[in-house]
Amino acid sequence: EPLPPHVTPNPLSSFPVPCVHAGLPKPTNITFSSINMENILQWSPPEGLQGAEVTDTVRYFIYGQKKWLSKSECRNILRTYCNLSAETSDYEHQYYARVKAVWGTNCSKGAQTGRFYPFLEKVALTTDKKSISIVLTYNVSIYNTKANKTWSQCVTNQMLVLSWLEPDTLYCVHVASFVPGPPRLAQPSEKQCVSTLKDPASALKVKILFWYVLPASVTVS
Amino acid sequence: GQEFQFGSCRVEGVVLQELWAAFRAVKDVVQAQDNITGVRLLRKEVLQNVSDAESCYLIQALLKFYLDTVFKNYHGKAAEFRILKSFSTLANNFIAITSRLRPSQENEMFSISESARRRFLLFQREFKQLDVEAALTKAFGEVDILLTWMEKFYQ
């Protein structure tokens, strides 16, 4: 029977397993992580209970709704993660999750995540009748080591031709994927560096300088 | 460059990424203050299936409310939580958008504007049922929901 609209659900009523709230330490570092469209709840075990037979129970909550929901596969578990992808698949909803530690008949308070918003984690997809195309955009950063300048460019294909580079200069490049919409932290590639060749013309100038001009000045003086 | 197209209302010169970056910087701090998790102001009934024609009326009403009520009265909290930079970025961009919205006032648009007004009233009524400070915190914490909806009209 749903709660009155403006009452925050009682933390203990959300866990059906009867346990005594005995001040056990809560699990810590509880967060959602979103990797390749999978939303995994992760946490660290409670401190100070190493060696004890502690299990964890997970609950999740849809922001704006009234009841905490459970996932049977994540009740009284020993591991410290729970895949809530199916439960958090509507990316227009926002979610909370809670984990409580259980030791025998004693239990901790629930450790709770912040408000998790799958939309901020999604990858931009477009679709037509028969296919889904993923628009992958890359943010290429180019660093001129001589001028100590960096510029970046967005490209949607796997090749970028950099022209107008300075001769005999070391350039370092790294690439990160880029998805339109809310800013997301992308893991950049490793840096790759390469030197441009010496400018044949300047080499010629040097030749001229050494081979013709200098000898002449030597003979004159 | 990209622009907002709320039906016939076009708004240029606003970079949505900047709004996202501003909110993302304060999201955890602001949403952590909202303990009434059983209430969502910008519910699906407010924002789902909004027609293009309706969208200009709805965005104008929502942004005007955010400026006149939420930002105006949340400024003290924003200073307290040291999030004034993001707070100002969002407020200034909302001002920029509303100042360029020109929703049509023609008679045949009356039913559409009324539909948008009913959606807005759903939001406003929910807001008024809460304690003022809690409502302000919740509304500001839901700016990501608002930006998500606005993004659908950003091309």
Side-chain angles (χ1 to χ4, degrees):
Chain A
E1 189 248 313
L3 292 164
H6 308 310
V7 170
T8 294
N10 171 339
L12 280 187
S13 69
S14 56
F15 291 109
V17 175
C19 69
V20 176
H21 188 267
L24 282 186
K26 291 193 281 193
T28 57
N29 305 324
I30 177 168
T31 56
F32 272 101
S33 83
S34 224
I35 300 163
N36 295 338
M37 307 292 278
E38 287 222 307
N39 301 327
I40 314 289
L41 183 69
Q42 298 168 335
W43 63 91
S44 304
E47 277 143 17
L49 293 179
Q50 281 71 14
E53 187 77 15
V54 176
T55 62
D56 295 321
T57 292
V58 171
R59 291 263 155 174
Y60 66 95
F61 182 86
I62 298 172
Y63 175 60
Q65 297 192 6
K66 304 304 176 208
K67 282 173 52 180
W68 281 88
L69 306 167
S70 73
K71 175 166 183 155
S72 51
E73 298 89 331
C74 294
R75 182 178 295 155
N76 295 324
I77 55 175
L78 291 170
R79 64 181 188 274
T80 57
Y81 62 87
C82 169
N83 188 328
L84 289 175
S85 301
E87 292 75 15
T88 57
S89 56
D90 182 338
Y91 67 81
E92 290 203 340
H93 272 310
Q94 301 182 330
Y95 303 89
Y96 290 89
R98 256 188 198 147
V99 181
K100 74 164 190 178
V102 182
W103 184 16
T105 57
N106 297 327
C107 57
S108 74
K109 282 185 178 177
Q112 183 168 309
T113 65
R115 197 179 301 171
F116 173 62
Y117 193 11
F119 172 81
L120 297 185
E121 319 292 336
K122 78 169 177 49
V123 172
L125 295 176
T126 55
T127 178
D128 57 28
K129 285 196 184 53
K130 286 197 229 67
S131 66
I132 290 179
S133 56
I134 298 177
V135 178
L136 284 183
T137 307
Y138 300 97
N139 189 1
V140 181
S141 296
I142 307 109
Y143 172 55
N144 176 333
T145 56
K146 196 183 277 184
N148 191 28
K149 283 210 172 80
T150 300
W151 78 94
S152 56
Q153 223 167 309
C154 268
V155 294
T156 51
N157 48 30
Q158 264 76 29
M159 172 160 333
L160 170 65
V161 177
L162 298 173
S163 46
W164 302 102
L165 298 180
E166 295 168 33
D168 193 22
T169 304
L170 182 67
Y171 287 90
C172 294
V173 178
H174 71 255
V175 180
S177 61
F178 169 77
V179 178
R184 292 170 183 76
L185 303 175
Q187 192 67 27
S189 70
E190 272 179 34
K191 191 171 62 175
Q192 302 265 343
C193 298
V194 64
S195 267
T196 51
L197 298 175
K198 288 187 168 55
D199 176 1
S202 60
L204 191 64
K205 255 179 256 156
V206 171
K207 228 177 269 176
I208 293 168
L209 194 65
F210 283 107
W211 285 4
Y212 301 105
V213 172
L214 267 181
S217 59
V218 168
T219 54
V220 165
S221 56
Chain B
Q2 290 180 286
E3 65 176 14
F4 284 108
Q5 291 176 12
F6 298 106
S8 59
C9 299
R10 286 168 176 265
V11 177
E12 291 175 350
V14 174
V15 181
L16 185 55
Q17 286 274 346
E18 286 173 12
L19 278 72
W20 272 117
F23 185 76
R24 187 178 268 259
V26 301
K27 171 183 184 314
D28 292 342
V29 169
V30 173
Q31 291 179 347
Q33 308 305 316
D34 179 4
N35 299 317
I36 308 175
T37 53
V39 172
R40 170 170 160 162
L41 301 175
L42 289 168
R43 313 197 306 258
K44 285 200 171 184
E45 297 85 339
V46 177
L47 295 177
Q48 210 165 45
N49 306 323
V50 175
S51 67
D52 273 359
E54 252 182 293
S55 62
C56 190
Y57 299 98
L58 184 54
I59 190 64
Q60 184 180 54
L62 287 170
L63 293 189
K64 200 166 180 311
F65 182 86
Y66 264 85
L67 290 168
D68 296 347
T69 305
V70 180
F71 283 97
K72 184 176 164 193
N73 297 296
Y74 191 79
H75 186 274
K77 277 283 181 193
E80 178 189 332
F81 295 142
R82 299 173 197 278
I83 57 171
L84 277 177
K85 184 168 183 284
S86 288
F87 179 84
S88 306
T89 301
L90 290 163
N92 292 331
N93 276 280
F94 280 12
I95 291 169
I97 295 169
T98 48
S99 66
R100 295 170 203 164
L101 290 172
R102 294 285 178 280
S104 156
Q105 303 304 323
E106 284 150 24
N107 288 339
E108 65 261 26
M109 295 298 277
F110 178 75
S111 64
I112 290 174
S113 65
E114 266 309 289
S115 169
R117 203 171 79 84
R118 279 193 299 274
R119 289 176 183 271
F120 170 72
L121 291 177
L122 277 178
F123 162 80
Q124 190 183 43
R125 215 171 288 133
E126 197 75 37
F127 181 93
K128 286 184 173 175
Q129 289 189 14
L130 299 178
D131 153 75
V132 174
E133 199 164 305
L136 292 171
T137 298
K138 182 173 283 297
F140 190 60
E142 291 190 4
V143 162
D144 51 4
I145 299 174
L146 182 58
L147 293 180
T148 303
W149 178 71
M150 289 168 67
E151 186 162 0
K152 294 176 182 174
F153 302 90
Y154 194 62
Q155 291 145 32

